[in-house]
Amino acid sequence: MNITAGQLLSQIQNPADLKKLSKEQLHQVCEELRQYIIDVVSVHGGHFAASLGVVELTVALHYVFNTPYDQLVWDVGHQAYGHKILTGRRDVFPTNRKYKGISGFPKRDESEYDTFGVGHSSTSISAALGMAMASHYKGEFDRQHIAVIGDGAMTAGMAFEALNHAGVANANVLIILNDNCMSIDPNVGALKEYLTDITTSPTYNKLRDDVWNLLGKLPVGKNFTRDMASKLEASLKGVVSKSSNLFESFGMRYFGPIDGHNITKLADTLQDLKDIPGPKLLHIVTTKGKGYALAEKDQTTWHAPGLFDKITGEIFRKVPERPQPPKYQDVFGHTIIELAEKNDKILGITPAMPSGSSLKFMMEKMPERAFDVGICEQHAVTLSAGMATQGMRVFCTIYSSFFQRAFDQAVHDVCIQKLPVIFCLDRAGLVGEDGPTHHGVYDIAYMRGIPNVIISAPMNEEELRNLMYSAQLADNNMPYVIRYPRGQGVMPEWRTPFKAIKPGTGRKLRDGKDIAILSLGHPGNFATEAIRELLADGLQPAHYDMRFVKPLDEEMLHEVFTNYDKVITIEDGTITGGFGSAILEFMARHNYKAELRMLGVPDKIIEHGKPDELFRECGYDAAGIARAVREMMKNKITVTA
């Protein structure tokens, strides 16, 4: 499908072209930019509602500021599609998130306009403040530094740490708080209630328009200084708000809230703020999905809907001919309810991902036992630890890549204290189009070195259920990690009876000759597929589903290294320090001599693409496994005429 940009947008190759337009023409630019995003994403896929909500802000920022000299940092980054289109990537935008195409997030080596790599939330204020302080040190006092952060991302502790520093750093930084009450799911917490109070107070909304104009008319001189005027402004704001202004208590000037879809007001306000030095915050109110009615009504569904008909709004779903396996996260979501109905000590925790992790099912059925704590991974882990001290069996479900943010809490608050928190690490391994900021490939390596923890990975849905069941049993007194991938499993009939699995016990799936394959987790299914192909070559690999990387099934490993002198390990994680490394350590401890090849994610950053494309690139898809076996067994292959 040939997608063309509108009349004005087609003339904009960079922000310099945008600045040639009159302010009145910006309305048309916004309409064309919004339509272009709709056209491309409906056909090619990607994130959707977030970028629609900041179209006017994106245009205003590049119209007013001198980017890239002025530094613009987008928090999270899935809202930056308009930014990419206006900064030289319009014609390649259809390759967004595709293998070898442009990234779905700002990326420093992709464009000089992408000042900071962002994929996880709540980093923008720290990054922009760092840039501002460096510019101040270099004497670049005319340089502007802007962080665009959503109210969902503002709930994270890191954002408040940065605010606390920004207020005393005397650096030229502007924080734009994009308030739409949404991240992926609806926001939660006291900050949401505070912002709602500000944006819905008629008195406050009138005063915020009048107060600075009033102060500008007062006789500023030796008897009435600008500092006194600012104090008066803050006092007046405090009178009409239920509490003193949170952001001004951090030492920064607060402006707003203003309509984030009024392009003229936005441009004028940003132009005025350029002349005010020091830290300041502009509060704008937007609608996620703005301009596409269905996305405005159901912002969670339309966060990243896949391909759809832009006219009817029909989201295209493949209709299978026969029953399909469920997604692993849905197996988790339904299984935790089954377990909780039998064990009243079970609770569920997720940091802002109830839909993605499928904890939403439990939140709907058992709202008093399942909690979304906002974008606060560190808090989620220590909260779970606190609950565990009181005898609760807490399933803390976090995306693997997000769990990295809570490593310190996992060490100190859970493992050192040996509290039986159950970490269900969703999206473990290569996740696909979201790319390196979301790949969950390091959890095995960084958790394996910590004492007092069980680390497991199911090969299929039945094993996921059994591992969850085993982790919540009363005789388990250890922190327990269960990692599973994004996407579908392999068992259409997955509601199997629960069976306890003893930690450190694997399964021998088939005997073989000469070579053994040791797999961990879902990639064991790739090995099964490869073995079917290898049998035709006269090769008969043994296959062991190890299930646990800590503790290892040492009895099974002794069997392997006693009977096989060629071994392949397979994992959906980094080879460096991962499952294969654990097997090498076992070999060294017991003085085994064998030829061992490790398949998994190599020691490099893996970019975005479809999962199958990335598995193939890393060499541990079925074809890669079969190739590795043939290479190791080349002297055993019989060639017939």
Side-chain angles (χ1 to χ4, degrees), residues 214-230:
L214 170 65
L215 294 175
K217 297 175 182 178
L218 292 174
V220 178
K222 66 178 182 179
N223 294 324
F224 190 85
T225 66
R226 177 64 69 180
D227 181 61
M228 293 169 62
S230 296

Side-chain angles (χ1 to χ4, degrees), residues 119 129 303 307-308 446 616 624:
L129 178 60
H303 173 75
L307 308 186
F308 61 94
Y446 67 69
R616 181 174 64 248

Side-chain angles (χ1 to χ4, degrees), residues 22 34 59 103 147 198 347 386 419 515 537 575 583:
S22 68
R34 182 169 275 116
V59 171
S103 171
I198 290 179
L347 301 175
L419 293 170
I515 189 168
D537 292 343
I575 291 173
I583 302 302

Side-chain angles (χ1 to χ4, degrees), residues 349-379:
I349 299 291
T350 187
M353 301 306 292
S355 293
S357 70
S358 293
L359 191 67
K360 63 179 181 181
F361 301 139
M362 188 180 187
M363 292 173 65
E364 292 166 357
K365 191 166 185 178
M366 303 175 172
E368 74 286 357
R369 297 174 64 182
F371 309 95
D372 174 7
V373 301
I375 303 178
C376 310
E377 292 86 0
Q378 294 170 300
H379 168 60

Side-chain angles (χ1 to χ4, degrees), residues 155-169:
T155 63
M158 186 175 177
F160 283 91
E161 293 170 19
L163 284 172
N164 186 51
H165 187 195
V168 298

Side-chain angles (χ1 to χ4, degrees), residues 359-409:
L359 191 67
K360 63 179 181 181
F361 301 139
M362 188 180 187
M363 292 173 65
E364 292 166 357
K365 191 166 185 178
M366 303 175 172
E368 74 286 357
R369 297 174 64 182
F371 309 95
D372 174 7
V373 301
I375 303 178
C376 310
E377 292 86 0
Q378 294 170 300
H379 168 60
V381 170
T382 304
L383 177 72
S384 300
M387 291 174 167
T389 67
Q390 303 305 302
M392 299 296 105
R393 292 287 167 163
V394 186
F395 283 83
C396 182
T397 178
I398 304 181
Y399 288 9
S400 170
S401 61
F402 297 171
F403 188 54
Q404 294 162 185
R405 311 184 89 168
F407 176 74
D408 181 76
Q409 286 68 32

